[in-house]
Amino acid sequence: MINSKPILFSAIQPSGNLSIGNYIGTMRHWSSFQDNYECLYCIADLHSLTTLNKNFSLQNSVLDTLALYLACGVNPKKSIIFIQSHVYQHSQLNWILSCFSQFGELSRMTQFKNKRKIQDNYVENINIGLLNYPVLMSSDILLYQTNLVPVGQDQKQHLELTRNIANRFNLLYGDIFTLPKPLITKTGSKIMSLLDPTKKMSKSDTNKNNVIFLLEDISSVFLKIKNAVTDSEMPPKIYYDLRRKSGISNLLEILSAITNKKISILEKEFEGIMYSEFKKIIFDNISKFLHKLQKSYLVYRKDESYLKKVAKEGAIRARLKSEKILKRVSTAIGIN
Ligand code: TYM
């Protein structure tokens, strides 16, 4: 049977507690994609090795992430859910594509430069996995002839690199790889940090007050929202203006994403109210959202044997699919 649905691939690194930024930037759409696309949702544990910490249980974090995928409505009957390291084809293609990637282009990636920079110095003893990181990401995507990749704005550059690598390969060996397109939403693709709304909210931020985590205790969110940076406009006004009101705009984006209401509608609703009242409404909505998500998460997380079954079946299906393209690549370059 020919499957005519476009192929959609997305992944998250299980390197810690996922943030509301991860949810809003990608996961919130995953469930609805399942009816229109052939979806693959991957847990990128090999990517997490780039920042491995001995005291951190990657194995637990992988299961936490899988339970969160299910709690967000990803259905293993409709989509392929799998763990990257269970499908060896990813590492195999990673090596092959490394040989079609250039040191210059990889060292110019913004994320790599940020990781390499400590204060104003570029460190030399950075692990090569961090340099190679976007090539592994390209392998994830290209292995499935992916058409669409839903991601937040921070991954756009990696998608461009993926297209460049695929093009380079195709020019030499014919049309082997499909060129994927990023799917980046207009609002919510870059949720900002609460205390510094000029920088991205990141799950690895050392200051936890910058981040709302999907699995955090709801009571701790109250203070985080209360302390979130706003502005000193007098009288206070709630409207979207990224340049002049980055804090308020960020809170509006978060609220819009979790309530499914347009920002223009929210602006009207909040005409004339104080920032403290606005923040209380934000907290009420976030706590409602987190409560529902965490309740569903706990049901899945308790059943480890079910989670392992989902991962095992997903890996079998992902291997079957990825093996086909890996064979074509191997034949083209003469290693099969
Ligand atoms: P990761 O784990 O850093 O983030 C997962 C997804 O969440 C998005 N995101 C955000 N979106 C909006 N606002 C934010 N503050 C925010 N923070 C994170 C990211 O853009 C991403 O879409 N390399 C990837 C994982 C990966 C992948 C792939 C993604 C591995 N292979 C193949 C797509 C396709 C990463 O580290 O994402």
Side-chain angles (χ1 to χ4, degrees), residues 49 54 100 102 110 139 173 191 195 224 245 248 272 302:
L49 299 181
K54 210 171 146 262
F100 292 84
Q102 298 164 356
T110 308
S139 311
Y173 295 104
I191 297 300
L195 297 176
K224 290 187 180 182
K245 295 177 76 73
I248 290 289
K302 274 188 197 137

Side-chain angles (χ1 to χ4, degrees), residues 47-247:
H47 277 104
S48 292
L49 299 181
T50 55
T51 50
L52 200 61
N53 170 342
K54 210 171 146 262
N55 301 319
F56 171 74
S57 167
L58 185 54
Q59 211 169 14
N60 275 336
S61 189
V62 164
L63 292 177
D64 294 347
T65 308
L66 178 50
L68 265 177
Y69 280 19
L70 299 174
C72 285
V74 175
N75 180 347
K77 292 204 173 81
K78 292 184 179 173
S79 304
I80 300 182
I81 310 169
F82 70 101
I83 298 163
Q84 190 184 31
S85 63
H86 293 187
V87 183
Y88 84 89
Q89 285 82 353
H90 289 246
S91 328
Q92 174 85 352
L93 186 62
N94 176 222
W95 175 252
I96 296 171
L97 293 185
S98 298
C99 301
F100 292 84
S101 309
Q102 298 164 356
F103 173 76
E105 64 187 352
L106 296 181
S107 56
R108 280 193 297 275
M109 292 289 114
T110 308
Q111 213 169 68
F112 174 71
K113 285 199 290 192
N114 290 343
K115 294 230 158 102
R116 197 177 165 203
K117 206 168 172 183
I118 295 183
Q119 280 148 7
D120 279 334
N121 292 319
Y122 283 112
V123 291
E124 288 299 325
N125 59 348
I126 184 165
N127 79 61
I128 285 297
L130 283 166
L131 181 70
N132 193 277
Y133 179 107
V135 185
L136 179 58
M137 187 167 157
S138 303
S139 311
D140 298 340
I141 297 166
L142 297 175
L143 260 179
Y144 300 94
Q145 302 293 43
T146 301
N147 303 100
L148 289 169
V149 188
V151 278
Q153 243 178 60
D154 61 327
Q155 298 298 324
K156 192 168 171 232
Q157 198 183 34
H158 291 161
L159 257 294
E160 280 157 13
L161 177 84
T162 302
R163 289 173 63 89
N164 288 343
I165 296 174
N167 252 326
R168 198 172 292 147
F169 192 94
N170 285 353
L171 273 175
L172 288 169
Y173 295 104
D175 277 342
I176 304 261
F177 292 123
T178 300
L179 295 189
K181 288 195 183 116
L183 197 59
I184 299 177
T185 53
K186 223 169 142 203
T187 51
S189 63
K190 192 172 184 187
I191 297 300
M192 307 308 258
S193 133
L194 297 176
L195 297 176
D196 179 1
T198 60
K199 76 174 208 228
K200 192 194 78 164
M201 182 186 282
S202 162
K203 59 181 179 286
S204 52
D205 198 316
T206 45
N207 184 351
K208 302 298 169 214
N209 292 324
N210 277 323
V211 188
I212 296 169
F213 297 101
L214 294 180
L215 297 179
E216 82 174 88
D217 190 358
I218 294 172
S219 59
S220 66
V221 177
F222 181 76
L223 266 187
K224 290 187 180 182
I225 300 288
K226 186 165 175 262
N227 294 332
V229 164
T230 51
D231 53 68
S232 49
E233 184 172 4
M234 274 299 163
K237 274 196 196 138
I238 292 162
Y239 58 93
Y240 191 83
D241 182 333
L242 271 185
R243 204 172 52 83
R244 289 170 42 217
K245 295 177 76 73
S246 53

Side-chain angles (χ1 to χ4, degrees), residues 24-52:
I24 294 176
T26 48
M27 297 168 93
R28 76 179 151 129
H29 306 289
W30 286 4
S31 159
S32 60
F33 287 148
Q34 297 178 113
D35 296 324
N36 301 317
Y37 304 107
E38 188 185 334
C39 298
L40 293 117
Y41 295 118
C42 167
I43 296 171
D45 58 344
L46 294 174
H47 277 104
S48 292
L49 299 181
T50 55
T51 50
L52 200 61

